[in-house]
């Protein structure tokens, strides 16, 4: 069911997807789908989380250079993932603001997994764990705000990468 939701998440705008369509794609009864997922937001929160788990598979692509270079590379990988699958960011925005408690719980786990993945860039730095968490939070906010502006048509995709680089250099130095 989650695989079917992921496929639909890539191919169709979130607001146009009906839960029945996902059930059909997954070749399960609608009642079966609702046995496992409380709502459309819950289902797609799980699909988002499933999609994001593959992000960690690409962290070895980050350079072995300075902390600043590693932070830039990891956040650029995240930006590139959304650039390749822009509809996924729409799902992220929907799930992030969902009132469904099940979706919210999955969202919190997704956010924690992403923070952990982003924290990999700081593992070899001399920053304290508290400072590492602060850097991750600020860089994640920069990424999110710039992805949102891009999705709203307020800036080109290249501006996301420039903002990541500027923020990393501002926070960590060159």
């Amino acid at each position: 069911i989650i695989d079917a939701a992921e496929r639909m998440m890539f191919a169709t705008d979130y607001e146009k997807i009906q839960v029945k369509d996902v059930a059909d794609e997954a070749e399960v009864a609608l009642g079966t789908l609702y046995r496992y997922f409380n709502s459309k937001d819950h289902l797609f929160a799980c699909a988002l989380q499933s999609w994001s788990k593959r992000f960690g598979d690409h962290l070895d692509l980050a350079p072995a250079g300075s902390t600043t270079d590693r932070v830039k590379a990891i956040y650029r990988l995240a930006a590139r993932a959304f650039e390749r699958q822009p509809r996924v960011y729409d799902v992220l925005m929907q799930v992030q603001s969902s009132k469904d408690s099940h979706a919210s719980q999955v969202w919190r786990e997704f956010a924690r997994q992403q923070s952990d993945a982003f924290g990999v860039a700081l593992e070899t730095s001399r920053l304290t764990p508290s400072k590492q968490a602060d850097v991750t939070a600020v860089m994640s906010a920069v990424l999110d705000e710039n992805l949102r502006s891009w999705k709203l048509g307020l800036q080109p995709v290249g501006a996301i990468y420039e903002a990541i680089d500027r923020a990393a250099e501002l926070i960590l130095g060159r």
Side-chain angles (χ1 to χ4, degrees):
I1 295 171
I2 291 172
D3 289 345
E6 272 192 68
R7 288 190 299 274
M8 295 195 80
M9 178 173 71
F10 300 149
T12 308
D13 293 338
Y14 184 78
E15 64 275 358
K16 293 180 181 175
I17 299 172
Q18 294 183 8
V19 176
K20 183 188 179 322
D21 298 332
V22 179
D24 291 346
E25 175 75 17
E27 298 179 353
V28 298
L30 188 58
T32 300
L33 186 146
Y34 276 115
R35 183 176 311 143
Y36 298 103
F37 303 99
N38 193 50
S39 67
K40 178 180 172 182
D41 285 351
H42 181 209
L43 169 60
F44 280 92
C46 292
L48 177 66
Q49 184 178 37
S50 175
W51 173 77
S52 73
K53 285 180 181 176
R54 292 188 293 280
F55 179 69
D57 298 341
H58 301 288
L59 294 181
D60 58 341
L61 300 176
S66 71
T67 297
T68 303
D69 289 342
R70 287 193 314 277
V71 167
K72 287 179 184 180
I74 285 178
Y75 280 89
R76 282 172 156 266
L77 281 171
R80 196 167 302 114
F82 286 108
E83 182 183 1
R84 286 185 186 128
Q85 296 291 347
R87 288 185 174 106
V88 174
Y89 193 75
D90 296 329
V91 172
L92 183 146
M93 288 192 299
Q94 177 63 39
V95 170
Q96 188 176 32
S97 62
S98 179
K99 304 289 186 219
D100 180 297
S101 63
H102 294 89
S104 295
Q105 180 181 350
V106 175
W107 167 257
R108 285 189 298 276
E109 177 63 20
F110 163 82
R112 186 194 60 74
Q113 286 174 343
Q114 290 306 294
S115 289
D116 290 350
F118 291 141
V120 168
L122 299 167
E123 285 178 345
T124 60
S125 74
R126 295 182 182 187
L127 299 173
T128 65
S130 175
K131 290 281 189 188
Q132 289 180 21
D134 290 344
V135 170
T136 299
V138 170
M139 288 301 299
S140 295
V142 167
L143 175 64
D144 187 51
E145 176 57 31
N146 281 278
L147 283 167
R148 187 178 316 274
S149 292
W150 166 63
K151 283 298 292 175
L152 293 172
L154 302 174
Q155 68 180 13
V157 71
I160 300 169
Y161 300 103
E162 292 169 12
I164 289 168
D165 290 352
R166 284 193 320 272
E169 290 169 5
L170 180 65
I171 295 167
L172 299 165
R174 283 192 160 252

